[in-house]
Amino acid sequence: MENFFNIFFLIFILFFFYLNGAFFQEYFLKKYNKIKNENFYLLPIIGLSFFCVVITFLYNFINLSIVQINLIFFILHIMFIFKIRKNFTEHLFNFFNILKLIFPIILFYFFIILFRNENFYVFRGNYWDQFTMISMGIIFENYQYKNIADLLIKENFVFENFENFYNNLRDNVFSKDHYYFSFQNLFARQFNSLLLAFFFKIKFIDIFVIHLCLKIFFLSNIILSTKLLFSSFNYKIKNSTFYAWVFAFSFWTIYIFEIDALAQLCSFSILILLLAFSKKIIFDNNFTKSNYFICLVLYSSLFLIYPSLFVIFNIFLIIYL
């Protein structure tokens, strides 16, 4: 019974980001966009990128708490659903088509959990990354950005000697164990921890289950983005879906899933989508405003989520330009 509830929560996450993508489409691509008819299955990835930019801005620059950000998105989604109520059935149809495309991968991982229980998703090959992301998520959930400095001071950090931050980190005895994992990454690559913090407010879901569901969601996004990439090279639709599935279960994809490289797993589908749209713009001369606007949001989110991959993409871009 618990597994079915967890699957439902994963579907909720997918629908949340689908609505974000549909919101972005409705208000930012309304006049120029054909994604609704042709590539609706990209909406969860675009919604993820849009969410990345918005939550990073609201938390770091507007200095809102996670609860306030939860409330903003809740109100926006209620208002948006009311606005699209006449076309809501069409959106549900699109969403269930996306779900049908990725549902086997959901069943695959939850089937494993039936036999391996919590050991499968709590203790992985790289516990450092997992516990670091979760620890940072707990801090972001409970502290506004402006209060993180006060938290560090309480843990005896000396701001006058801040350049020795890591020495201070190593020598400190912390009041809470998870501070050890989180303090060294508080000011870099925040998005995945902000994302965890956003869903940590749902208190009846275990934090490790939330982490697992997001990983499966990111893996599902790789299928959706790779499908467009192969389609852009004139593969038939059925073939592109098959190749996307093969890629999702390839060595590198499974490897980054297994080592809990959450930032890389999250950004992988965004990178693939950027490559697909770059091909449309550079090689196919498809210079539409919607393509540029989508690329701008994807490009910004790639930098915020995983700067190393952002640099690699720019190298390829410079080569082909």
Side-chain angles (χ1 to χ4, degrees):
M1 186 68 184
E2 183 181 353
N3 255 1
F4 287 108
F5 186 74
N6 293 338
I7 290 174
F8 177 79
F9 177 68
L10 176 56
I11 295 172
F12 165 77
I13 290 176
L14 179 67
F15 188 65
F16 172 81
F17 286 109
Y18 174 86
L19 280 181
N20 285 341
F23 179 89
F24 179 82
Q25 167 194 296
E26 181 73 20
Y27 289 100
F28 295 95
L29 305 175
K30 191 171 184 180
K31 294 182 180 179
Y32 312 104
N33 160 50
K34 294 184 178 178
I35 199 169
K36 182 177 180 180
N37 298 321
E38 298 175 358
N39 298 318
F40 62 87
Y41 55 88
L42 302 178
L43 288 178
I45 307 172
I46 295 172
L48 175 66
S49 295
F50 177 65
F51 178 80
C52 170
V53 175
V54 172
I55 194 173
T56 302
F57 177 77
L58 293 178
Y59 184 80
N60 287 281
F61 298 100
I62 306 299
N63 197 40
L64 297 183
S65 67
I66 293 297
V67 171
Q68 291 170 325
I69 296 172
N70 285 137
L71 184 61
I72 287 172
F73 274 94
F74 176 76
I75 294 172
L76 283 178
H77 280 192
I78 294 298
M79 293 173 61
F80 179 63
I81 289 173
F82 180 78
K83 183 181 187 303
I84 62 170
R85 62 191 183 279
K86 293 182 180 179
N87 299 319
F88 191 65
T89 304
E90 181 182 354
H91 280 286
L92 283 179
F93 181 76
N94 287 344
F95 175 74
F96 282 114
N97 278 331
I98 295 172
L99 191 60
K100 183 171 65 175
L101 185 63
I102 65 173
F103 199 69
I105 206 167
I106 298 174
L107 290 181
F108 174 77
Y109 280 102
F110 279 101
F111 181 75
I112 295 175
I113 295 170
L114 282 175
F115 298 96
R116 299 301 300 272
N117 299 319
E118 291 87 356
N119 288 329
F120 175 72
Y121 56 86
V122 176
F123 301 104
R124 308 304 298 157
N126 179 16
Y127 69 89
W128 287 98
D129 280 12
Q130 181 187 28
F131 279 84
T132 296
M133 292 292 180
I134 290 175
S135 298
M136 287 174 62
I138 292 171
I139 289 180
F140 291 152
E141 179 195 4
N142 294 296
Y143 292 90
Q144 291 177 259
Y145 186 74
K146 68 177 180 180
N147 296 330
I148 291 178
D150 297 332
L151 173 63
L152 292 172
I153 291 172
K154 287 180 183 178
E155 298 297 323
N156 298 319
F157 278 76
V158 181
F159 267 57
E160 290 76 12
N161 194 24
F162 197 74
E163 62 269 15
N164 291 324
F165 178 84
Y166 290 103
N167 291 330
N168 204 352
L169 174 69
R170 186 172 61 248
D171 297 336
N172 245 28
V173 177
F174 300 113
S175 62
K176 294 182 180 179
D177 290 340
H178 68 270
Y179 288 169
Y180 174 75
F181 290 94
S182 54
F183 279 177
Q184 57 189 320
N185 292 297
L186 277 174
F187 306 107
R189 285 165 47 182
Q190 295 178 339
F191 170 68
N192 288 283
S193 297
L194 285 172
L195 181 58
L196 287 167
F198 184 85
F199 288 107
F200 281 173
K201 289 299 181 183
I202 306 176
K203 293 300 182 182
F204 53 87
I205 304 290
D206 185 82
I207 59 176
F208 290 100
V209 171
I210 293 173
H211 183 269
L212 172 70
C213 288
L214 286 173
K215 282 174 61 179
I216 298 174
F217 168 67
F218 296 153
L219 193 61
S220 302
N221 283 347
I222 292 173
I223 296 174
L224 302 177
S225 60
T226 312
K227 177 179 168 63
L228 177 69
L229 182 63
F230 284 122
S231 298
S232 67
F233 287 98
N234 297 320
Y235 287 98
K236 294 180 179 178
I237 296 298
K238 290 184 179 179
N239 289 344
S240 65
T241 304
F242 173 75
Y243 294 140
W245 268 96
V246 171
F247 186 79
F249 283 100
S250 63
F251 167 78
W252 185 249
T253 309
I254 296 299
Y255 176 73
I256 60 177
F257 183 93
E258 287 295 309
I259 65 170
D260 279 318
L262 200 64
Q264 190 168 358
L265 190 65
C266 175
S267 60
F268 206 4
S269 60
I270 296 172
L271 173 68
I272 294 169
L273 206 55
L274 269 173
L275 292 172
F277 277 103
S278 297
K279 179 187 178 297
K280 284 187 174 185
I281 293 172
I282 298 171
F283 296 104
D284 299 342
N285 293 319
N286 192 355
F287 296 99
T288 64
K289 290 186 178 180
S290 62
N291 283 345
Y292 280 124
F293 207 18
I294 292 171
C295 283
L296 179 62
V297 172
L298 294 172
Y299 192 72
S300 303
S301 64
L302 184 63
F303 171 74
L304 293 171
I305 297 170
Y306 202 52
S308 301
L309 209 56
F310 174 81
V311 172
I312 293 172
F313 173 74
N314 279 284
I315 291 172
F316 281 106
L317 199 62
I318 291 170
I319 291 172
Y320 282 103
L321 284 176

